[in-house]
Amino acid sequence: MCNSLSFSHNFCESRINNNDGPEYFNAVSSLFMTLIPLLIGIPNNYHFKKVSYMLIINGGCSFYYHYSLSWLGKQLDEITMLLANYYYMNGLLNYYNDENIINIANISNSIMLPVIISFNTIPQYDQYFVYIFSLYCFPTCIFIFDLALKNNIFKSVIMNSTISIIGSVAWFISEHNCNYITTYGHIIWHLCFPLGIYRILKIYDNIE
């Protein structure tokens, strides 16, 4: 396998095959992310609309990453994931009236994104992306649940959050306990996490 930059990725599918690609199952399942906004619909909220664009792009970028296991593929895949969360938070802030919350969240989000992207360019830290991405999504999750309580849509949000949590747990398991069964955990991540989180996005997009 020839990469323009040498690094150790951490996907179970290739780890059980001597770190050789392509990762056919991970690559093909990535394309589901492109289909989600196209099938469920593009939102009206300006920032949510950009989330949908990032998901559409991310499906192709993730396919390329898992197929090539290249450094360029990693950056294309993971930066579009980070940008999707960035726009997601901005979209949620439209539903707040407290200027202090909006300003603090906007400033924090604008500082965190370039710092995380910069950290993610360090090859030897590749295995930490799952934790970095989880931490970056945490404030977004707080806003999701806070707004759900305020808008009496908590039950729907919890149901769809459970779908995403299943995907997240499957990814963590495949990273930490890699075998011929758990290798499918990353596929479940591709299918469940974006589906649940995008359905929540659409719920908020329909709030007037």
Side-chain angles (χ1 to χ4, degrees), residues 40-46 48-49 88 91-92 94-95 151 153 156-157 160 198-208:
I40 298 179
I42 304 298
N44 296 312
N45 179 300
Y46 174 70
F48 286 165
K49 197 182 294 274
Y88 205 122
L92 292 173
N94 282 355
Y95 300 96
N151 290 278
I153 53 172
S156 298
V157 169
N160 288 293
Y198 194 80
R199 288 180 56 166
I200 293 172
L201 177 150
K202 287 292 289 181
I203 291 172
Y204 283 118
D205 191 57
N206 291 326
I207 295 176
E208 296 182 358

PDB file of all heavy atoms in Angstrom, residues 40-46 48-49 88 91-92 94-95 151 153 156-157 160 198-208:
ATOM      1  N   ILE A  40     -34.197  11.658   2.932  1.00  0.00           N
ATOM      2  CA  ILE A  40     -35.005  12.282   3.980  1.00  0.00           C
ATOM      3  C   ILE A  40     -35.369  13.717   3.627  1.00  0.00           C
ATOM      4  O   ILE A  40     -36.429  14.212   4.000  1.00  0.00           O
ATOM      5  CB  ILE A  40     -34.272  12.216   5.343  1.00  0.00           C
ATOM      6  CG1 ILE A  40     -34.054  10.746   5.738  1.00  0.00           C
ATOM      7  CG2 ILE A  40     -35.046  12.949   6.427  1.00  0.00           C
ATOM      8  CD1 ILE A  40     -33.321  10.568   7.051  1.00  0.00           C
ATOM      9  N   GLY A  41     -34.496  14.379   2.869  1.00  0.00           N
ATOM     10  CA  GLY A  41     -34.788  15.736   2.438  1.00  0.00           C
ATOM     11  C   GLY A  41     -33.768  16.751   2.935  1.00  0.00           C
ATOM     12  O   GLY A  41     -33.199  16.591   4.017  1.00  0.00           O
ATOM     13  N   ILE A  42     -33.565  17.786   2.137  1.00  0.00           N
ATOM     14  CA  ILE A  42     -32.657  18.875   2.494  1.00  0.00           C
ATOM     15  C   ILE A  42     -33.414  19.860   3.384  1.00  0.00           C
ATOM     16  O   ILE A  42     -34.526  20.280   3.043  1.00  0.00           O
ATOM     17  CB  ILE A  42     -32.138  19.603   1.235  1.00  0.00           C
ATOM     18  CG1 ILE A  42     -31.469  18.598   0.279  1.00  0.00           C
ATOM     19  CG2 ILE A  42     -31.158  20.713   1.611  1.00  0.00           C
ATOM     20  CD1 ILE A  42     -30.267  17.889   0.832  1.00  0.00           C
ATOM     21  N   PRO A  43     -32.858  20.263   4.521  1.00  0.00           N
ATOM     22  CA  PRO A  43     -33.563  21.168   5.438  1.00  0.00           C
ATOM     23  C   PRO A  43     -33.632  22.602   4.918  1.00  0.00           C
ATOM     24  O   PRO A  43     -32.929  22.973   3.965  1.00  0.00           O
ATOM     25  CB  PRO A  43     -32.719  21.092   6.711  1.00  0.00           C
ATOM     26  CG  PRO A  43     -31.366  20.669   6.254  1.00  0.00           C
ATOM     27  CD  PRO A  43     -31.570  19.805   5.056  1.00  0.00           C
ATOM     28  N   ASN A  44     -34.450  23.407   5.574  1.00  0.00           N
ATOM     29  CA  ASN A  44     -34.601  24.817   5.210  1.00  0.00           C
ATOM     30  C   ASN A  44     -33.640  25.718   5.974  1.00  0.00           C
ATOM     31  O   ASN A  44     -33.179  26.727   5.437  1.00  0.00           O
ATOM     32  CB  ASN A  44     -36.042  25.279   5.480  1.00  0.00           C
ATOM     33  CG  ASN A  44     -37.045  24.537   4.611  1.00  0.00           C
ATOM     34  OD1 ASN A  44     -36.859  24.414   3.405  1.00  0.00           O
ATOM     35  ND2 ASN A  44     -38.102  24.032   5.226  1.00  0.00           N
ATOM     36  N   ASN A  45     -33.371  25.355   7.225  1.00  0.00           N
ATOM     37  CA  ASN A  45     -32.440  26.119   8.051  1.00  0.00           C
ATOM     38  C   ASN A  45     -31.095  26.240   7.324  1.00  0.00           C
ATOM     39  O   ASN A  45     -30.536  25.248   6.855  1.00  0.00           O
ATOM     40  CB  ASN A  45     -32.262  25.408   9.402  1.00  0.00           C
ATOM     41  CG  ASN A  45     -31.289  26.099  10.342  1.00  0.00           C
ATOM     42  OD1 ASN A  45     -30.119  26.260  10.023  1.00  0.00           O
ATOM     43  ND2 ASN A  45     -31.780  26.470  11.511  1.00  0.00           N
ATOM     44  N   TYR A  46     -30.595  27.476   7.231  1.00  0.00           N
ATOM     45  CA  TYR A  46     -29.378  27.750   6.463  1.00  0.00           C
ATOM     46  C   TYR A  46     -28.204  26.888   6.912  1.00  0.00           C
ATOM     47  O   TYR A  46     -27.488  26.306   6.088  1.00  0.00           O
ATOM     48  CB  TYR A  46     -29.031  29.230   6.588  1.00  0.00           C
ATOM     49  CG  TYR A  46     -27.718  29.630   5.966  1.00  0.00           C
ATOM     50  CD1 TYR A  46     -27.557  29.634   4.577  1.00  0.00           C
ATOM     51  CD2 TYR A  46     -26.629  29.987   6.764  1.00  0.00           C
ATOM     52  CE1 TYR A  46     -26.344  30.002   4.007  1.00  0.00           C
ATOM     53  CE2 TYR A  46     -25.422  30.353   6.197  1.00  0.00           C
ATOM     54  CZ  TYR A  46     -25.278  30.354   4.822  1.00  0.00           C
ATOM     55  OH  TYR A  46     -24.088  30.708   4.256  1.00  0.00           O
ATOM     56  N   PHE A  48     -28.363  24.084   8.857  1.00  0.00           N
ATOM     57  CA  PHE A  48     -28.696  22.672   8.696  1.00  0.00           C
ATOM     58  C   PHE A  48     -28.525  22.224   7.244  1.00  0.00           C
ATOM     59  O   PHE A  48     -28.167  21.087   6.963  1.00  0.00           O
ATOM     60  CB  PHE A  48     -30.132  22.408   9.145  1.00  0.00           C
ATOM     61  CG  PHE A  48     -30.330  22.436  10.631  1.00  0.00           C
ATOM     62  CD1 PHE A  48     -31.612  22.517  11.172  1.00  0.00           C
ATOM     63  CD2 PHE A  48     -29.252  22.367  11.505  1.00  0.00           C
ATOM     64  CE1 PHE A  48     -31.808  22.532  12.540  1.00  0.00           C
ATOM     65  CE2 PHE A  48     -29.429  22.390  12.881  1.00  0.00           C
ATOM     66  CZ  PHE A  48     -30.721  22.470  13.403  1.00  0.00           C
ATOM     67  N   LYS A  49     -28.793  23.144   6.338  1.00  0.00           N
ATOM     68  CA  LYS A  49     -28.612  22.831   4.915  1.00  0.00           C
ATOM     69  C   LYS A  49     -27.144  22.473   4.637  1.00  0.00           C
ATOM     70  O   LYS A  49     -26.844  21.544   3.879  1.00  0.00           O
ATOM     71  CB  LYS A  49     -29.033  24.027   4.059  1.00  0.00           C
ATOM     72  CG  LYS A  49     -29.271  23.714   2.588  1.00  0.00           C
ATOM     73  CD  LYS A  49     -29.641  24.984   1.835  1.00  0.00           C
ATOM     74  CE  LYS A  49     -30.980  25.531   2.287  1.00  0.00           C
ATOM     75  NZ  LYS A  49     -32.101  24.916   1.568  1.00  0.00           N
ATOM     76  N   TYR A  88     -24.001  22.042  12.472  1.00  0.00           N
ATOM     77  CA  TYR A  88     -25.130  21.529  13.260  1.00  0.00           C
ATOM     78  C   TYR A  88     -25.339  22.412  14.495  1.00  0.00           C
ATOM     79  O   TYR A  88     -26.468  22.819  14.807  1.00  0.00           O
ATOM     80  CB  TYR A  88     -24.851  20.091  13.683  1.00  0.00           C
ATOM     81  CG  TYR A  88     -26.073  19.252  13.962  1.00  0.00           C
ATOM     82  CD1 TYR A  88     -26.306  18.075  13.259  1.00  0.00           C
ATOM     83  CD2 TYR A  88     -26.989  19.611  14.953  1.00  0.00           C
ATOM     84  CE1 TYR A  88     -27.421  17.281  13.507  1.00  0.00           C
ATOM     85  CE2 TYR A  88     -28.108  18.827  15.210  1.00  0.00           C
ATOM     86  CZ  TYR A  88     -28.316  17.670  14.488  1.00  0.00           C
ATOM     87  OH  TYR A  88     -29.420  16.890  14.737  1.00  0.00           O
ATOM     88  N   GLY A  91     -26.742  25.770  13.611  1.00  0.00           N
ATOM     89  CA  GLY A  91     -28.165  25.678  13.308  1.00  0.00           C
ATOM     90  C   GLY A  91     -29.014  25.617  14.560  1.00  0.00           C
ATOM     91  O   GLY A  91     -30.069  26.256  14.636  1.00  0.00           O
ATOM     92  N   LEU A  92     -28.565  24.868  15.564  1.00  0.00           N
ATOM     93  CA  LEU A  92     -29.307  24.771  16.817  1.00  0.00           C
ATOM     94  C   LEU A  92     -29.366  26.109  17.539  1.00  0.00           C
ATOM     95  O   LEU A  92     -30.367  26.428  18.205  1.00  0.00           O
ATOM     96  CB  LEU A  92     -28.663  23.719  17.726  1.00  0.00           C
ATOM     97  CG  LEU A  92     -28.757  22.263  17.272  1.00  0.00           C
ATOM     98  CD1 LEU A  92     -27.922  21.367  18.173  1.00  0.00           C
ATOM     99  CD2 LEU A  92     -30.205  21.787  17.257  1.00  0.00           C
ATOM    100  N   ASN A  94     -29.847  28.915  16.396  1.00  0.00           N
ATOM    101  CA  ASN A  94     -30.919  29.760  15.860  1.00  0.00           C
ATOM    102  C   ASN A  94     -32.186  29.692  16.697  1.00  0.00           C
ATOM    103  O   ASN A  94     -33.038  30.588  16.613  1.00  0.00           O
ATOM    104  CB  ASN A  94     -31.257  29.333  14.416  1.00  0.00           C
ATOM    105  CG  ASN A  94     -30.256  29.839  13.414  1.00  0.00           C
ATOM    106  OD1 ASN A  94     -29.345  30.591  13.744  1.00  0.00           O
ATOM    107  ND2 ASN A  94     -30.392  29.418  12.169  1.00  0.00           N
ATOM    108  N   TYR A  95     -32.318  28.632  17.503  1.00  0.00           N
ATOM    109  CA  TYR A  95     -33.523  28.438  18.302  1.00  0.00           C
ATOM    110  C   TYR A  95     -33.390  29.004  19.713  1.00  0.00           C
ATOM    111  O   TYR A  95     -34.289  28.839  20.539  1.00  0.00           O
ATOM    112  CB  TYR A  95     -33.882  26.952  18.356  1.00  0.00           C
ATOM    113  CG  TYR A  95     -34.136  26.382  16.977  1.00  0.00           C
ATOM    114  CD1 TYR A  95     -33.131  25.712  16.281  1.00  0.00           C
ATOM    115  CD2 TYR A  95     -35.366  26.552  16.344  1.00  0.00           C
ATOM    116  CE1 TYR A  95     -33.348  25.209  15.010  1.00  0.00           C
ATOM    117  CE2 TYR A  95     -35.590  26.047  15.070  1.00  0.00           C
ATOM    118  CZ  TYR A  95     -34.582  25.377  14.414  1.00  0.00           C
ATOM    119  OH  TYR A  95     -34.793  24.889  13.138  1.00  0.00           O
ATOM    120  N   ASN A 151     -39.044  22.331  23.730  1.00  0.00           N
ATOM    121  CA  ASN A 151     -40.025  22.277  22.641  1.00  0.00           C
ATOM    122  C   ASN A 151     -40.939  21.055  22.708  1.00  0.00           C
ATOM    123  O   ASN A 151     -41.679  20.777  21.762  1.00  0.00           O
ATOM    124  CB  ASN A 151     -39.297  22.296  21.293  1.00  0.00           C
ATOM    125  CG  ASN A 151     -38.656  23.639  20.999  1.00  0.00           C
ATOM    126  OD1 ASN A 151     -39.306  24.566  20.528  1.00  0.00           O
ATOM    127  ND2 ASN A 151     -37.356  23.745  21.269  1.00  0.00           N
ATOM    128  N   ILE A 153     -40.379  17.862  22.536  1.00  0.00           N
ATOM    129  CA  ILE A 153     -40.131  16.837  21.517  1.00  0.00           C
ATOM    130  C   ILE A 153     -39.095  15.832  22.025  1.00  0.00           C
ATOM    131  O   ILE A 153     -38.399  15.187  21.248  1.00  0.00           O
ATOM    132  CB  ILE A 153     -39.651  17.464  20.184  1.00  0.00           C
ATOM    133  CG1 ILE A 153     -38.444  18.386  20.423  1.00  0.00           C
ATOM    134  CG2 ILE A 153     -40.781  18.214  19.502  1.00  0.00           C
ATOM    135  CD1 ILE A 153     -37.808  18.890  19.151  1.00  0.00           C
ATOM    136  N   SER A 156     -39.243  12.030  20.817  1.00  0.00           N
ATOM    137  CA  SER A 156     -38.771  11.806  19.448  1.00  0.00           C
ATOM    138  C   SER A 156     -37.258  11.927  19.354  1.00  0.00           C
ATOM    139  O   SER A 156     -36.599  11.152  18.652  1.00  0.00           O
ATOM    140  CB  SER A 156     -39.430  12.805  18.491  1.00  0.00           C
ATOM    141  OG  SER A 156     -40.823  12.635  18.460  1.00  0.00           O
ATOM    142  N   VAL A 157     -36.718  12.901  20.085  1.00  0.00           N
ATOM    143  CA  VAL A 157     -35.270  13.113  20.060  1.00  0.00           C
ATOM    144  C   VAL A 157     -34.546  11.936  20.716  1.00  0.00           C
ATOM    145  O   VAL A 157     -33.515  11.470  20.212  1.00  0.00           O
ATOM    146  CB  VAL A 157     -34.903  14.447  20.751  1.00  0.00           C
ATOM    147  CG1 VAL A 157     -33.403  14.547  20.982  1.00  0.00           C
ATOM    148  CG2 VAL A 157     -35.378  15.626  19.904  1.00  0.00           C
ATOM    149  N   ASN A 160     -34.477   8.871  18.319  1.00  0.00           N
ATOM    150  CA  ASN A 160     -33.491   8.985  17.250  1.00  0.00           C
ATOM    151  C   ASN A 160     -32.064   9.047  17.787  1.00  0.00           C
ATOM    152  O   ASN A 160     -31.132   8.578  17.122  1.00  0.00           O
ATOM    153  CB  ASN A 160     -33.800  10.222  16.400  1.00  0.00           C
ATOM    154  CG  ASN A 160     -35.024  10.034  15.533  1.00  0.00           C
ATOM    155  OD1 ASN A 160     -35.018   9.232  14.610  1.00  0.00           O
ATOM    156  ND2 ASN A 160     -36.092  10.746  15.837  1.00  0.00           N
ATOM    157  N   TYR A 198     -29.435  12.928  11.823  1.00  0.00           N
ATOM    158  CA  TYR A 198     -30.052  13.710  10.746  1.00  0.00           C
ATOM    159  C   TYR A 198     -31.569  13.773  10.925  1.00  0.00           C
ATOM    160  O   TYR A 198     -32.191  14.792  10.612  1.00  0.00           O
ATOM    161  CB  TYR A 198     -29.709  13.120   9.376  1.00  0.00           C
ATOM    162  CG  TYR A 198     -30.023  14.069   8.239  1.00  0.00           C
ATOM    163  CD1 TYR A 198     -29.144  15.107   7.930  1.00  0.00           C
ATOM    164  CD2 TYR A 198     -31.180  13.942   7.490  1.00  0.00           C
ATOM    165  CE1 TYR A 198     -29.420  15.994   6.902  1.00  0.00           C
ATOM    166  CE2 TYR A 198     -31.467  14.818   6.457  1.00  0.00           C
ATOM    167  CZ  TYR A 198     -30.585  15.848   6.177  1.00  0.00           C
ATOM    168  OH  TYR A 198     -30.872  16.736   5.151  1.00  0.00           O
ATOM    169  N   ARG A 199     -32.154  12.718  11.427  1.00  0.00           N
ATOM    170  CA  ARG A 199     -33.591  12.737  11.694  1.00  0.00           C
ATOM    171  C   ARG A 199     -33.918  13.759  12.776  1.00  0.00           C
ATOM    172  O   ARG A 199     -34.954  14.435  12.720  1.00  0.00           O
ATOM    173  CB  ARG A 199     -34.080  11.340  12.079  1.00  0.00           C
ATOM    174  CG  ARG A 199     -34.117  10.371  10.902  1.00  0.00           C
ATOM    175  CD  ARG A 199     -34.605   8.995  11.287  1.00  0.00           C
ATOM    176  NE  ARG A 199     -35.924   9.040  11.913  1.00  0.00           N
ATOM    177  CZ  ARG A 199     -36.684   7.956  12.088  1.00  0.00           C
ATOM    178  NH1 ARG A 199     -36.261   6.777  11.652  1.00  0.00           N
ATOM    179  NH2 ARG A 199     -37.842   8.057  12.678  1.00  0.00           N
ATOM    180  N   ILE A 200     -33.044  13.895  13.767  1.00  0.00           N
ATOM    181  CA  ILE A 200     -33.229  14.932  14.788  1.00  0.00           C
ATOM    182  C   ILE A 200     -33.134  16.309  14.152  1.00  0.00           C
ATOM    183  O   ILE A 200     -33.931  17.215  14.446  1.00  0.00           O
ATOM    184  CB  ILE A 200     -32.173  14.779  15.903  1.00  0.00           C
ATOM    185  CG1 ILE A 200     -32.404  13.480  16.675  1.00  0.00           C
ATOM    186  CG2 ILE A 200     -32.219  15.979  16.854  1.00  0.00           C
ATOM    187  CD1 ILE A 200     -31.307  13.146  17.663  1.00  0.00           C
ATOM    188  N   LEU A 201     -32.157  16.483  13.278  1.00  0.00           N
ATOM    189  CA  LEU A 201     -32.007  17.750  12.551  1.00  0.00           C
ATOM    190  C   LEU A 201     -33.297  18.124  11.830  1.00  0.00           C
ATOM    191  O   LEU A 201     -33.740  19.271  11.864  1.00  0.00           O
ATOM    192  CB  LEU A 201     -30.833  17.635  11.578  1.00  0.00           C
ATOM    193  CG  LEU A 201     -30.502  18.806  10.654  1.00  0.00           C
ATOM    194  CD1 LEU A 201     -29.007  18.827  10.341  1.00  0.00           C
ATOM    195  CD2 LEU A 201     -31.277  18.727   9.336  1.00  0.00           C
ATOM    196  N   LYS A 202     -33.906  17.151  11.187  1.00  0.00           N
ATOM    197  CA  LYS A 202     -35.146  17.409  10.444  1.00  0.00           C
ATOM    198  C   LYS A 202     -36.313  17.755  11.380  1.00  0.00           C
ATOM    199  O   LYS A 202     -37.197  18.538  11.026  1.00  0.00           O
ATOM    200  CB  LYS A 202     -35.496  16.206   9.574  1.00  0.00           C
ATOM    201  CG  LYS A 202     -34.593  16.042   8.357  1.00  0.00           C
ATOM    202  CD  LYS A 202     -34.812  17.160   7.339  1.00  0.00           C
ATOM    203  CE  LYS A 202     -36.153  17.021   6.643  1.00  0.00           C
ATOM    204  NZ  LYS A 202     -36.383  18.084   5.644  1.00  0.00           N
ATOM    205  N   ILE A 203     -36.307  17.168  12.578  1.00  0.00           N
ATOM    206  CA  ILE A 203     -37.341  17.518  13.562  1.00  0.00           C
ATOM    207  C   ILE A 203     -37.241  18.990  13.922  1.00  0.00           C
ATOM    208  O   ILE A 203     -38.242  19.722  13.941  1.00  0.00           O
ATOM    209  CB  ILE A 203     -37.197  16.638  14.826  1.00  0.00           C
ATOM    210  CG1 ILE A 203     -37.555  15.186  14.516  1.00  0.00           C
ATOM    211  CG2 ILE A 203     -38.069  17.180  15.961  1.00  0.00           C
ATOM    212  CD1 ILE A 203     -37.257  14.219  15.654  1.00  0.00           C
ATOM    213  N   TYR A 204     -36.023  19.444  14.194  1.00  0.00           N
ATOM    214  CA  TYR A 204     -35.826  20.857  14.549  1.00  0.00           C
ATOM    215  C   TYR A 204     -36.096  21.769  13.345  1.00  0.00           C
ATOM    216  O   TYR A 204     -36.608  22.884  13.500  1.00  0.00           O
ATOM    217  CB  TYR A 204     -34.405  21.085  15.085  1.00  0.00           C
ATOM    218  CG  TYR A 204     -34.241  20.618  16.491  1.00  0.00           C
ATOM    219  CD1 TYR A 204     -33.344  19.609  16.824  1.00  0.00           C
ATOM    220  CD2 TYR A 204     -35.005  21.178  17.520  1.00  0.00           C
ATOM    221  CE1 TYR A 204     -33.210  19.173  18.130  1.00  0.00           C
ATOM    222  CE2 TYR A 204     -34.863  20.749  18.827  1.00  0.00           C
ATOM    223  CZ  TYR A 204     -33.972  19.749  19.123  1.00  0.00           C
ATOM    224  OH  TYR A 204     -33.836  19.307  20.421  1.00  0.00           O
ATOM    225  N   ASP A 205     -35.762  21.302  12.186  1.00  0.00           N
ATOM    226  CA  ASP A 205     -35.977  22.130  10.994  1.00  0.00           C
ATOM    227  C   ASP A 205     -37.456  22.392  10.754  1.00  0.00           C
ATOM    228  O   ASP A 205     -37.811  23.400  10.135  1.00  0.00           O
ATOM    229  CB  ASP A 205     -35.369  21.435   9.766  1.00  0.00           C
ATOM    230  CG  ASP A 205     -35.318  22.335   8.550  1.00  0.00           C
ATOM    231  OD1 ASP A 205     -34.712  23.424   8.649  1.00  0.00           O
ATOM    232  OD2 ASP A 205     -35.869  21.955   7.513  1.00  0.00           O
ATOM    233  N   ASN A 206     -38.319  21.516  11.246  1.00  0.00           N
ATOM    234  CA  ASN A 206     -39.758  21.671  11.061  1.00  0.00           C
ATOM    235  C   ASN A 206     -40.420  22.520  12.154  1.00  0.00           C
ATOM    236  O   ASN A 206     -41.615  22.783  12.101  1.00  0.00           O
ATOM    237  CB  ASN A 206     -40.452  20.303  11.004  1.00  0.00           C
ATOM    238  CG  ASN A 206     -40.077  19.553   9.731  1.00  0.00           C
ATOM    239  OD1 ASN A 206     -39.876  20.147   8.677  1.00  0.00           O
ATOM    240  ND2 ASN A 206     -39.985  18.230   9.834  1.00  0.00           N
ATOM    241  N   ILE A 207     -39.617  22.922  13.174  1.00  0.00           N
ATOM    242  CA  ILE A 207     -40.144  23.786  14.218  1.00  0.00           C
ATOM    243  C   ILE A 207     -40.218  25.223  13.683  1.00  0.00           C
ATOM    244  O   ILE A 207     -39.237  25.754  13.166  1.00  0.00           O
ATOM    245  CB  ILE A 207     -39.250  23.748  15.477  1.00  0.00           C
ATOM    246  CG1 ILE A 207     -39.271  22.358  16.100  1.00  0.00           C
ATOM    247  CG2 ILE A 207     -39.713  24.794  16.502  1.00  0.00           C
ATOM    248  CD1 ILE A 207     -38.344  22.212  17.288  1.00  0.00           C
ATOM    249  N   GLU A 208     -41.338  25.842  13.824  1.00  0.00           N
ATOM    250  CA  GLU A 208     -41.506  27.210  13.322  1.00  0.00           C
ATOM    251  C   GLU A 208     -41.153  28.224  14.410  1.00  0.00           C
ATOM    252  O   GLU A 208     -41.389  27.995  15.570  1.00  0.00           O
ATOM    253  CB  GLU A 208     -42.944  27.427  12.856  1.00  0.00           C
ATOM    254  CG  GLU A 208     -43.306  26.532  11.668  1.00  0.00           C
ATOM    255  CD  GLU A 208     -44.729  26.802  11.183  1.00  0.00           C
ATOM    256  OE1 GLU A 208     -45.421  27.654  11.791  1.00  0.00           O
ATOM    257  OE2 GLU A 208     -45.134  26.150  10.204  1.00  0.00           O
TER     258      GLU A 208
END
